Amino acid sequence: MLACYLDLKSSLSELSGKMEALCSPGKLTEQEEEELSSLPEFRKQCENLPRWIARSRERIAFLLKLYGRKDWYDWPAPALSEIGSIALQMMVATLPGAKGDLEGVLVFGPMGDGEILELSWKWAMVAAQCGCAMGELGAMVLLGRMQPYNSGRFLWEAFESWENRFQGPDYQFHFAGKMRKDLCWDLTCELGLQAALQLRDPAMATRVVHGFCMSGAICLPLSPLYFQVARLCQQDAEAVKPATKRILVSITPGQKKEDQDQLDRYRPLLRPIPLSPWPGTRDWADVLRKEFPWMREAVDTLERQQLLGFRLGRKTLGIRPLLLLGPAGVGKTRFLRRLGEVWNLPAAFLPLAGISDNLLLKGLARGWSGARAGYLAEQFLNFGVANPLVILDEIDKIGTARQNGRVWETLLTMLEPASSTSVLDEFLIAPVDCSAVNWVATANSLEEVPRPLRSRWEIVWSGEPQGDAFDEILENLLQEISKENGVAKTGLPQLDNRVVGVLRRSFQKNPQSIRVLRRILYRMMELEAMAAAEMAEKQWLQ
């Protein structure tokens, strides 16, 4: 875990000399005595030092004399263990705020705060290099105090490691002959608070406060950190108030009671509704790359848009219209549905193959039988978010008839940033703001997509599954089949390993449509279920 090491022999010589000078008022120069206003108290503290400190200095001097000609890693293990124990005790004795045996000498002595921190840190580093875990913990805490700006991620990883030790029942906190669990608890708490502040992450800070500060008494003086954490969480609470958008500004009242009753359903859209945020991490991209390795270009494109949004300070999830182009049966629609799941974003699925009636999008005006609002107004109402994922499937097969207007022409209005804020709904007789909608679409070819509509999309090639992706594809299909049938994956008929092996070899030799593989899977499970039923019938007859 440590990122740097000290030369053990030279460090021990230096630290031993510093301790001797620190604990011996007679070693001060005349100028230091004049500058030290607390000289009487300093002398008094030195006279009352515990005997173990002098014995420890003598022991280190003896070990250096005995093994000093060897490289430190050639020293015998008992010597290193003894030095580690002494170094740990020295770290605790010099640790600011720990009320150690040298606190009085440090408070009234000639050392400044920075020098005291460095002294304690070096003792901690020596203990860590001799194999003491608590020395490593102390070194990282002191590193955070000395460098409070550029070690946040490193400190957080260390915090999580120690947090796990407290949660484990078997970890022993005996260091240097004493139970040090309380001090380890305090140091781990400070480590987490330092990391959260450096990373400016309120969620991390809250986790530390609830896990450590509120679960046990903290003896270290952490009040300054508490105040900084409180400010961080307060700023975050103000900054992360959920973003909202008003979809409708007004609804034209109906003249008939039945119309007005239906219009009243859409009144919630007159109030601002939430905008879903981006996921806090990029883990979703790793999940999709693993499940759909042939869709890497699409995942990379979306991940870049997330990073740009973060860079510009936009937390609301928003992407440019994305058209996934590729041959039939490669899993484009499955990928986009899964995208909504990993983003935790409601997804509306609209198959466009053969649709030529524009009323689906713009709504059917009042007075006609079956009058209704447009598709997007209905989705806003159902999902309760202003930026759902809308999947337009098979956009290349969209109808081109002019009855009630062409569908793709209305889509142009919804996709164009300048006009998407005010798209007329003919039933509500009011403009609908669909500017926050996240549009994605699939197509097998661009030849049948009207040129004006084509220009509104960022077109990404989907790729085709390769033979080595069989296991990921099989797992995804089984999950999908289990979800369709409302059972856990373990509740599906179990395919014989030999059958799976034949399918794998066949797919690797000739990767085929995922749709075809799905049909084969269903057929194999049906045969397995039939065989199980026949076996059960024979057993019953016997």
Side-chain angles (χ1 to χ4, degrees):
M1 181 66 76
L2 288 176
C4 60
Y5 294 90
L6 303 177
D7 180 83
L8 198 61
K9 287 193 297 183
S10 60
S11 296
L12 282 173
S13 298
E14 176 194 353
L15 289 169
S16 183
K18 280 191 175 183
M19 294 304 297
E20 183 178 1
L22 179 63
C23 300
S24 304
K27 299 288 184 179
L28 296 178
T29 64
E30 292 183 5
Q31 182 179 356
E32 286 176 331
E33 288 189 1
E34 292 176 1
E35 293 176 353
L36 191 61
S37 59
S38 57
L39 182 59
E41 187 62 34
F42 175 57
R43 291 183 186 278
K44 179 181 177 181
Q45 293 291 334
C46 291
E47 291 172 0
N48 297 324
L49 282 178
R51 283 290 302 156
W52 74 264
I53 293 177
R55 288 197 300 267
S56 297
R57 294 205 314 267
E58 294 167 2
R59 190 61 185 165
I60 288 175
F62 172 75
L63 292 173
L64 284 172
K65 184 177 180 180
L66 188 61
Y67 302 112
R69 293 183 180 180
K70 297 181 180 180
D71 291 327
W72 70 268
Y73 43 78
D74 290 329
W75 292 11
L80 288 175
S81 177
E82 183 178 359
I83 289 174
S85 178
I86 293 172
L88 180 62
Q89 293 181 73
M90 287 294 188
M91 180 204 81
V92 175
T94 57
L95 183 65
K99 299 181 180 179
D101 288 341
L102 286 172
E103 183 179 38
V105 172
L106 295 171
V107 169
F108 299 105
M111 279 190 173
D113 293 343
E115 293 176 290
I116 295 172
L117 276 178
E118 185 178 1
L119 175 68
S120 186
W121 176 74
K122 286 185 176 180
W123 278 120
M125 288 294 294
V126 169
Q129 285 178 237
C130 290
C132 178
M134 186 177 171
E136 183 177 320
L137 174 61
M140 286 181 288
V141 169
L142 290 162
L143 175 68
R145 294 188 190 182
M146 294 189 295
Q147 300 179 9
Y149 301 108
N150 56 2
S151 51
R153 180 56 57 187
F154 176 71
L155 297 180
W156 184 254
E157 291 175 359
F159 165 77
E160 290 187 314
S161 173
W162 276 88
E163 184 184 38
N164 291 334
R165 299 184 195 193
F166 280 102
Q167 293 172 353
D170 301 325
Y171 191 78
Q172 299 297 319
F173 290 89
H174 284 278
F175 300 115
K178 291 185 178 181
M179 173 57 80
R180 306 281 187 176
K181 186 171 183 178
D182 289 345
L183 184 56
C184 288
W185 180 277
D186 292 1
L187 292 173
T188 303
C189 177
E190 180 175 347
L191 195 65
L193 293 177
Q194 287 178 358
L197 288 169
Q198 290 193 28
L199 296 171
R200 307 299 300 165
D201 192 320
M204 289 181 176
T206 302
R207 172 174 160 184
V208 177
V209 169
H210 285 279
F212 283 81
C213 305
M214 294 184 177
S215 302
I218 302 294
C219 298
L220 288 179
L222 299 183
S223 296
L225 285 179
Y226 288 159
F227 292 140
Q228 293 177 54
V229 165
R231 285 198 299 270
L232 173 65
C233 294
Q234 182 179 3
Q235 292 168 5
D236 180 70
E238 295 173 355
V240 299
K241 288 180 181 177
T244 58
K245 178 179 279 290
R246 179 173 292 178
I247 301 302
L248 291 173
V249 176
S250 63
I251 298 176
T252 302
Q255 296 181 351
K256 298 180 179 179
K257 182 180 184 303
E258 53 269 25
D259 286 343
Q260 189 59 48
D261 290 343
Q262 194 170 351
L263 289 169
D264 287 342
R265 289 185 57 240
Y266 298 92
R267 295 191 67 80
L269 299 182
L270 293 172
R271 298 187 296 271
I273 60 175
L275 288 157
S276 292
W278 277 106
T281 68
R282 289 183 282 162
D283 292 347
W284 63 269
D286 295 333
V287 170
L288 291 180
R289 288 192 189 98
K290 182 179 179 182
E291 295 182 7
F292 301 87
W294 63 96
M295 296 283 187
R296 177 171 290 273
E297 184 181 352
V299 177
D300 291 347
T301 299
L302 295 167
E303 186 178 30
R304 288 195 299 270
Q305 294 187 34
Q306 179 192 24
L307 292 175
L308 177 60
F310 284 171
R311 177 68 178 81
L312 299 177
R314 292 200 309 261
K315 295 185 178 181
T316 299
L317 198 159
I319 62 171
R320 298 186 296 278
L322 179 76
L323 174 59
L324 205 53
L325 179 66
V330 299
K332 299 186 296 296
T333 304
R334 286 181 53 251
F335 170 79
L336 294 177
R337 287 183 183 273
R338 184 71 174 120
L339 178 66
E341 291 176 1
V342 297
W343 278 352
N344 195 28
L345 183 67
F349 181 73
L350 180 59
L352 291 179
I355 290 183
S356 57
D357 192 343
N358 196 32
L359 297 178
L360 174 67
L361 293 178
K362 67 181 183 181
L364 180 58
R366 306 167 198 175
W368 293 92
S369 175
R372 63 184 182 277
Y375 180 79
L376 285 184
E378 196 67 37
Q379 300 311 313
F380 289 138
L381 188 64
N382 291 339
F383 294 141
V385 297
N387 58 335
L389 186 71
V390 176
I391 304 170
L392 304 178
D393 196 39
E394 297 187 307
I395 198 171
D396 54 327
K397 300 178 179 62
I398 195 169
T400 56
R402 292 179 176 273
Q403 180 184 5
N404 298 316
R406 291 185 289 199
V407 176
W408 67 266
E409 290 177 340
T410 300
L411 276 177
L412 288 181
T413 306
M414 294 178 169
L415 292 167
E416 186 64 39
S419 56
S420 61
T421 58
S422 182
V423 178
L424 180 66
D425 185 292
E426 296 197 0
F427 176 74
L428 302 176
I429 315 180
V432 177
D433 186 346
C434 57
S435 58
V437 170
N438 293 289
W439 298 94
V440 290
T442 68
N444 303 134
S445 167
L446 292 178
E447 293 180 2
E448 301 299 326
V449 180
R451 187 177 296 275
L453 181 60
R454 193 187 315 170
S455 66
R456 265 52 174 194
W457 299 90
E458 182 165 348
I459 301 170
V460 175
W461 178 252
S462 69
E464 299 181 45
Q466 302 301 308
D468 56 4
F470 174 82
D471 290 332
E472 290 83 358
I473 294 171
L474 177 64
E475 178 67 21
N476 293 343
L477 287 176
L478 291 176
Q479 292 285 3
E480 187 176 300
I481 291 170
S482 66
K483 188 181 296 184
E484 286 178 359
N485 290 276
V487 297
K489 195 182 72 166
T490 54
L492 296 175
Q494 296 299 305
L495 297 177
D496 189 277
N497 289 335
R498 292 170 296 179
V499 173
V500 174
V502 171
L503 289 175
R504 180 183 289 107
R505 289 191 293 274
S506 174
F507 191 86
Q508 289 174 344
K509 187 180 298 183
N510 180 29
Q512 54 192 309
S513 165
I514 297 177
R515 198 172 290 130
V516 173
L517 181 58
R518 175 190 168 90
R519 286 201 297 268
I520 294 174
L521 278 179
Y522 258 117
R523 180 64 59 85
M524 292 297 101
M525 284 191 288
E526 289 166 358
L527 292 174
E528 290 283 350
M530 183 178 294
E534 291 176 353
M535 181 66 69
E537 186 176 351
K538 287 180 181 179
Q539 291 176 349
W540 182 81
L541 291 174
Q542 291 174 355

